[in-house]
Amino acid sequence: MSSDKSHCDVLIVGGGLVGSTLAYALSQAKISTVLLEERNPGFIGQPSFDDRVTALANGSQRIFQGLGLWKDLLEVVEPIKSIHISERGRFGMSRIIAEEEGVSALGYTIENRVLGGTIWSKLSSLDSLTCLAPAKLDSLSIKTDEIIARVKIDDSNHEVRAKLVVAADGIRSKVRESLGIAVLTDVYDQQAVIVNCQTEVPHGGQAFERFTPSGPLAFLPLRHNRVGVVWTLSPEKKKIISDLSDKEFTAELQKSFGNRLGRINRVGSRSFYPLTRVRSDTLISSRAVLVGNAALNLHPVAGQGFNLALRDIAALAEVLVDAQCNNNTIDLGDSCFLDSYQAWRYGDQQRVAQFTHGLIKLFGYKLGPLAITRSLGLVAFDLIPGAKGMLARQTMGLSGRLSRLARGLPLVS
Ligand SMILES: Cc1cc2nc3c(=O)[nH]c(=O)nc-3n(C[C@H](O)[C@H](O)[C@H](O)COP(=O)(O)OP(=O)(O)OC[C@H]3O[C@@H](n4cnc5c(N)ncnc54)[C@H](O)[C@@H]3O)c2cc1C
């Protein structure tokens, strides 16, 4: 960033998991960037960095490796050594084991709080990046040759001018609204309850997917022998669950999960997420790109949202970094770069959105062959080597062009 904090090449609005990772990526090519975040990232109430557990696929691990962040994350992730899939009240189960798949882990779990904290801890020392937080985007004007963002810091008004604005400001994106981009919304009649707990038997790196009559239930291994629970519930069941005491809730969870990890000893606080799919009409607009939840918000059933967003920002960073490497004075908001990003990423986004939506429908079927198909599981699709490829070949066609980062190569050579 130039010493003048009001001018930059790229303004990223939203410093959640997606915006902060993109900011870090752009810093590798010294692209002058301002990152605007409404909340203080260290603040316990920062909703983007809550107790949710993200299951990082191996592709995401490669992207973080290419960015040089994996060595820090390795200290705080828990490898998934196996995934155990079962259905309550039915015979049969399947187990996918990392060793048998020829990989050291099927994926890695991490709490959003820890992932967000690790990324943000790297941002303050980057020369080309200015982080404004807490700072809130108030309004946005798009001009022919720049964008002008009006920003509130404490009670005072500021202006940031940039060549390109990236909307990473979540599902209710102010940037998207200012640009007049419409969204398609599917409201699922479901809520996810998230809670972390401790069990009598150590998880040993096992993840569990269990299909219960009230909805799919995932137990994800976490560091320090804790387990991250994601339980999808009907609104009626959610109402019952939210009114229970910790003791009653533990008993209900135990009944649904069974005794595979012995007694559930302690549970943390419960958070509830209404589940929707929100798709923006387009990923780009004049001098603007939408990423993460601002572009596409998915049901967490297959743990794909952040993994997909990482592939998007790896591609966007590559387009911008290459443009700048070829010409240091290039206008990064030029529509040719944005068109090339959209052409690259639109297909993958649509396919993942359709696939995730199809999975929700699949869970609605109680009997028949679909009930067997669904045993492939919640986290499984994005984590099992080969399963995603198989799915891609069967239902999505061959997977498209991979970014350098997604191939495990550095962004800037
Ligand atoms: C229950 C659940 C489980 C999930 N599990 C997985 C998983 O296992 N794997 C996976 O890949 N994905 C998972 N996801 C999806 C994943 O959480 C999202 O993809 C990810 O959080 C999107 O991050 P984001 O940065 O785009 O949006 P957000 O996290 O919403 O961040 C947006 C940021 O923008 C800031 N902001 C908003 N408005 C302004 C403004 N006007 N000015 C300045 N700043 C602003 C906000 O403060 C916030 O920090 C899950 C989601 C849920 C709900």
Side-chain angles (χ1 to χ4, degrees):
M1 173 87 188
S2 64
S3 55
D4 175 5
K5 294 184 180 179
S6 62
H7 285 80
C8 60
D9 281 324
V10 181
L11 168 66
I12 302 172
V13 181
L17 293 180
V18 174
S20 56
T21 309
L22 178 65
Y24 187 81
L26 296 185
S27 76
Q28 304 211 323
K30 308 238 174 290
I31 292 177
S32 82
T33 305
V34 170
L35 175 64
L36 205 69
E37 169 51 47
E38 183 179 359
R39 314 286 180 120
N40 182 343
F43 170 53
I44 195 93
Q46 155 62 307
S48 193
F49 304 156
D50 57 14
D51 282 336
R52 267 174 295 168
V53 174
T54 290
L56 295 172
N58 279 318
S60 298
Q61 181 263 333
R62 273 199 298 277
I63 291 174
F64 279 125
Q65 184 133 32
L67 287 172
L69 286 171
W70 187 247
K71 54 185 182 316
D72 298 285
L73 291 174
L74 195 54
E75 311 270 301
V76 284
V77 294
E78 178 73 22
I80 301 177
K81 298 283 185 192
S82 67
I83 303 175
H84 182 288
I85 301 156
S86 62
E87 186 156 354
R88 195 174 158 206
R90 285 179 146 243
F91 278 119
M93 59 100 177
S94 62
R95 201 151 181 239
I96 301 119
I97 300 168
E99 257 176 22
E100 289 175 4
E101 301 294 334
V103 289
S104 57
L106 294 167
Y108 300 85
T109 61
I110 184 165
E111 287 149 295
N112 284 8
R113 191 187 305 291
V114 179
L115 180 54
T118 306
I119 299 165
W120 265 87
S121 70
K122 299 284 167 191
L123 299 184
S124 56
S125 57
L126 304 172
D127 295 343
S128 56
L129 175 68
T130 298
C131 297
L132 300 179
K136 183 174 180 176
L137 176 77
D138 211 22
S139 67
L140 193 67
S141 315
I142 309 290
K143 307 287 179 200
T144 322
D145 58 349
E146 65 176 358
I147 64 104
I148 305 173
R150 275 162 287 277
V151 177
K152 270 223 153 44
I153 302 176
D154 297 324
D155 279 334
S156 56
N157 296 313
H158 298 258
E159 249 183 31
V160 179
R161 290 166 183 258
K163 293 293 177 190
L164 173 69
V165 61
V166 179
D169 51 347
I171 191 167
R172 281 175 284 279
S173 169
K174 174 89 182 172
V175 176
R176 192 182 61 211
E177 184 196 298
S178 310
L179 298 168
I181 297 175
V183 291
L184 291 168
T185 304
D186 301 286
V187 178
Y188 302 113
D189 209 13
Q190 292 174 338
Q191 296 253 344
V193 55
I194 307 295
V195 67
N196 295 343
C197 64
Q198 266 182 338
T199 55
E200 184 187 10
V201 177
H203 56 64
Q206 297 178 90
F208 295 86
E209 297 280 3
R210 191 151 167 78
F211 295 95
T212 75
S214 55
L217 171 62
F219 268 47
L220 300 170
L222 275 177
R223 269 168 64 84
H224 307 304
N225 207 29
R226 290 163 311 130
V227 174
V229 176
V230 186
W231 196 1
T232 308
L233 302 169
S234 65
E236 302 76 42
K237 184 80 176 176
K238 182 254 166 186
K239 169 101 190 58
I240 297 169
I241 290 285
S242 51
D243 289 345
L244 297 178
S245 67
D246 277 359
K247 196 171 164 203
E248 290 163 335
F249 172 73
T250 307
E252 192 66 27
L253 187 61
Q254 185 91 60
K255 198 164 84 190
S256 289
F257 179 66
N259 290 313
R260 290 196 165 86
L261 291 177
R263 272 174 60 87
I264 297 169
N265 288 330
R266 285 178 60 196
V267 290
S269 57
R270 282 161 256 165
S271 330
F272 295 90
Y273 295 84
L275 299 178
T276 51
R277 178 175 69 159
V278 179
R279 289 172 289 163
S280 66
D281 253 3
T282 172
L283 303 181
I284 57 170
S285 176
S286 177
R287 297 199 171 275
V289 183
L290 273 54
V291 293
N293 277 355
L296 176 62
N297 174 263
L298 296 171
H299 190 297
V301 68
Q304 302 244 351
F306 183 60
N307 288 304
L308 173 69
L310 267 185
R311 297 200 290 280
D312 292 336
I313 58 180
L316 178 61
E318 185 169 315
V319 169
L320 298 177
V321 164
D322 288 355
Q324 200 187 50
C325 282
N326 291 334
N327 178 351
N328 214 15
T329 58
I330 199 94
D331 176 356
L332 292 180
D334 192 304
S335 60
C336 70
F337 304 127
L338 310 188
D339 289 341
S340 117
Y341 168 73
Q342 166 141 288
W344 185 354
R345 294 304 305 155
Y346 189 72
D348 191 18
Q349 286 211 7
Q350 289 301 303
R351 286 188 291 266
V352 173
Q354 276 161 21
F355 158 63
T356 308
H357 192 61
L359 213 55
I360 318 298
K361 288 193 177 155
L362 197 61
F363 290 136
Y365 294 97
K366 294 229 164 17
L367 293 167
L370 286 175
I372 299 164
T373 312
R374 75 185 179 199
S375 294
L376 275 169
L378 284 173
V379 290
F381 280 101
D382 217 35
L383 301 183
I384 305 163
K388 189 135 191 274
M390 180 189 75
L391 189 77
R393 280 190 297 280
Q394 281 187 349
T395 62
M396 302 180 182
L398 290 173
S399 51
R401 181 178 149 209
L402 289 181
S403 62
R404 286 197 288 280
L405 285 171
R407 281 180 283 143
L409 302 171
L411 184 57
V412 183
S413 44

